[in-house]
Amino acid sequence: MSDLRCGLVVIGGGPGGYVCASRAARLGVDTILIESGRVGGTCLNVGCIPSKALIHAADLFATARRQAGEGMHGITVAEPSLDFGQTREWMDGVVSRLRSGVVGLLERSGVKTLHGRARFLDGKTVEVVGDTGTTTVRAENVVIATGSRPVDLPGLPTGGKVLDSTGALALDQPPQRLAVIGAGYIGLELGTAFAKLGSAVTLLEAAPTILPQYDEKLTRPVRRRLGELGIGLRLDTKVTSWDDGTGRLQVEHDGKTETLEFDKVLVTVGRTANTDGLALEELRLKMEGPFIQIDDRCRTSMRGVYAIGDVTAGPMLAHRAMAHAEIAADVIAGHANAWDKTCVPAVCFTDPEIASVGLLPREAETEGPVTVSEFSFRANGRALTLDDAEGMVRIVARQSDHVILGIQATGPGVSELTAGFAQAIETGLRIEDIAAVIHPHPTLSEALQEAALAEASMANHG
């Protein structure tokens, strides 16, 4: 057993953990990062990055299949074939390149990385058990950044033909018949991608709607596209049993039971914080249900112990974890910083994409009268030239002074507009401010200006 001492130990090398460790080290804090798997965490290795790579490859294949059929805009090609092994190699290459970049960043920043599982001995001491033995790390400060993992559905544990999102992204071939349990953003993203790659996909959702956190205006284009892709959608449907040997899934809808057959079942019913196995009971931290309670400086109830990202209450998003990481690193290094964010952007990489920043209309209305202004991509030149004009941009503003409270969009590439939406809300812009800014033509961003103009004076193309 060896002993180490440092100013900061960060437990978890995901987006929150590696950003915190790197930033703290560059601010002069002697930092050790502990990671049980590969740096980059779920997001880089088995989540955000490989799933978006899969979605891109699926879009390319689906487009080629359309061009091979009736053709597109005068373009006809031979019937495409899918070498999924090469697709996987490309996906893995993207992940590997980004992970190497993170490793290099940590090394350049002067962070020492320990591979192993960490558990608290007390608020200043962490025991790390790895392949090469046990190391005890004593630190002035500790940041818990262990992230989250997929939730198993009761009676349908992961294994065999039952996959979580990690297992789905590791498949050697798209399954012929795929059941996706859960019509949240992960289920819709992966289900749509596999459908475009040739799988017969059925979405099963216990709730009466897809993406229940959003309103019907945002989800309607996505639901329409599911039908166009031949994806079966069964709402108000509960899974009652599964036989891994026969591939038979029993479901219940409206009091009636039905048996369906699938080659694989993908469970996407949520995620849970990775707080078990850390011996948190040694610290007796204050909790918010399953989450660690923190203040606006990411401090827990124990001095010198911080928590960031998915182990804290709030949306489980990588960019939220990175924002937490900046705060924790600055505070530990003795610099002033605190959480003062007005919004945390959210993006669903569905087809079409959905972006939401700030308050939805129904949420804003609880705080007082609001004005809601929309502009359809069907009147947007760039969307038409992309042959993808489904969707709209919507601005939610306070009625009294037109201060923007929320912006939502659904349509092609709206994920790339989201940072601008967030900036408008964080800086307290009014509808008139957006309307007065020249937006380049032809771009999708013009839809935001047109939505603002519709309320400030009149839309130019509405």
Side-chain angles (χ1 to χ4, degrees):
M1 179 181 291
S2 59
D3 291 344
L4 297 174
R5 294 181 180 272
C6 62
L8 167 65
V9 61
V10 179
I11 305 175
Y18 79 72
V19 167
C20 182
S22 172
R23 186 179 182 90
R26 284 181 285 171
L27 289 172
V29 181
D30 182 20
T31 303
I32 293 176
L33 175 68
I34 302 170
E35 171 56 51
S36 61
R38 294 175 293 183
V39 293
T42 294
C43 179
L44 195 161
N45 293 292
V46 293
C48 314
I49 299 303
S51 67
K52 303 314 169 281
L54 180 70
I55 289 168
H56 176 64
D59 286 342
L60 291 177
F61 187 59
T63 298
R65 292 175 72 182
R66 287 177 62 193
Q67 291 172 331
E70 298 178 355
M72 292 177 62
H73 319 310
I75 302 171
T76 305
V77 301
E79 186 67 32
S81 61
L82 176 65
D83 185 334
F84 197 64
Q86 288 189 24
T87 303
R88 283 295 315 276
E89 285 182 17
W90 172 72
M91 291 167 56
D92 293 344
V94 172
V95 171
S96 179
R97 185 163 58 185
L98 287 171
R99 187 169 57 243
S100 295
V102 172
V103 171
L105 172 66
L106 293 169
E107 290 176 349
R108 292 193 305 273
S109 301
V111 177
K112 180 175 182 179
T113 302
L114 293 180
H115 293 279
R117 294 196 171 275
R119 63 183 298 274
F120 284 98
L121 299 181
D122 57 47
K124 300 289 186 182
T125 312
V126 176
E127 181 184 76
V128 184
V129 179
D131 294 337
T132 58
T134 301
T135 303
T136 301
V137 182
R138 291 180 174 83
E140 297 174 25
N141 299 281
V142 180
V143 172
I144 303 169
T146 45
S148 62
R149 65 182 184 277
V151 172
D152 278 339
L153 192 65
L156 204 67
T158 302
K161 297 175 183 177
V162 179
L163 312 170
D164 57 16
S165 56
T166 300
L169 290 167
L171 286 170
D172 293 330
Q173 292 292 332
Q176 288 189 337
R177 300 168 301 176
L178 175 66
V180 180
I181 302 176
Y185 75 96
I186 296 175
L188 287 171
E189 287 180 6
L190 294 178
T192 299
F194 280 112
K196 290 180 178 180
L197 291 169
S199 298
V201 177
T202 301
L203 283 165
L204 304 164
E205 172 57 56
T209 62
I210 65 171
L211 296 168
Q213 69 269 43
Y214 300 123
D215 56 80
E216 198 264 344
K217 276 199 171 183
L218 290 174
T219 60
R220 185 192 304 144
V222 175
R223 185 165 177 174
R224 185 180 297 121
R225 193 65 54 88
L226 294 177
E228 293 171 357
L229 291 169
I231 297 175
L233 178 61
R234 294 174 176 243
L235 301 174
D236 289 311
T237 301
K238 295 181 180 179
V239 174
T240 57
S241 69
W242 163 254
D243 188 318
D244 204 71
T246 62
R248 291 176 180 171
L249 188 71
Q250 193 172 78
V251 300
E252 182 181 303
H253 171 73
D254 200 20
K256 298 179 181 179
T257 299
E258 184 179 359
T259 299
L260 308 172
E261 293 188 4
F262 297 100
D263 301 299
K264 298 287 184 182
V265 176
L266 169 58
V267 178
T268 62
V269 293
R271 299 183 65 83
T272 186
N274 280 328
T275 54
D276 51 322
L278 291 172
L280 288 183
E281 60 275 10
E282 297 293 332
L283 308 187
R284 297 184 181 180
L285 301 178
K286 289 185 178 179
M287 305 291 287
E288 294 182 57
F291 302 104
I292 301 172
Q293 186 182 101
I294 59 171
D295 64 8
D296 62 352
R297 289 168 176 78
C298 298
R299 298 176 298 196
T300 70
S301 56
M302 176 174 281
R303 185 175 180 178
V305 178
Y306 300 73
I308 63 175
D310 291 1
V311 295
T312 67
M316 291 182 170
L317 298 169
H319 44 277
R320 173 175 171 267
M322 288 189 276
H324 272 165
E326 295 173 18
I327 294 169
D330 287 357
V331 171
I332 291 167
H335 299 282
N337 201 343
W339 183 272
D340 62 351
K341 315 298 183 186
T342 303
C343 59
V344 178
V347 178
C348 298
F349 291 86
T350 45
D351 184 3
E353 295 177 350
I354 297 176
S356 181
V357 181
L359 301 179
L360 295 165
R362 65 173 181 259
E363 297 167 333
E365 287 168 356
T366 64
E367 301 182 7
V370 300
T371 179
V372 178
S373 181
E374 300 176 0
F375 189 82
S376 172
F377 279 122
R378 292 178 182 175
N380 177 268
R382 181 57 174 155
L384 289 168
T385 64
L386 292 171
D387 192 25
D388 195 357
E390 188 74 58
M392 54 90 180
V393 174
R394 179 175 68 195
I395 301 175
V396 183
R398 199 158 48 221
Q399 190 178 85
S400 60
D401 56 9
H402 284 185
V403 169
I404 298 172
L405 303 176
I407 305 177
Q408 294 87 43
T410 178
V414 295
S415 57
E416 300 301 330
L417 303 179
T418 313
F421 298 168
Q423 191 171 37
I425 295 173
E426 290 289 353
T427 54
L429 296 186
R430 299 163 63 246
I431 287 178
E432 287 76 8
D433 297 320
I434 298 294
V437 173
I438 296 175
H439 287 61
H441 174 79
T443 64
L444 297 174
S445 68
E446 289 178 278
L448 176 63
Q449 184 188 27
E450 293 279 9
L453 281 167
E455 182 63 33
S457 55
M458 67 181 74
N460 290 329
H461 299 90

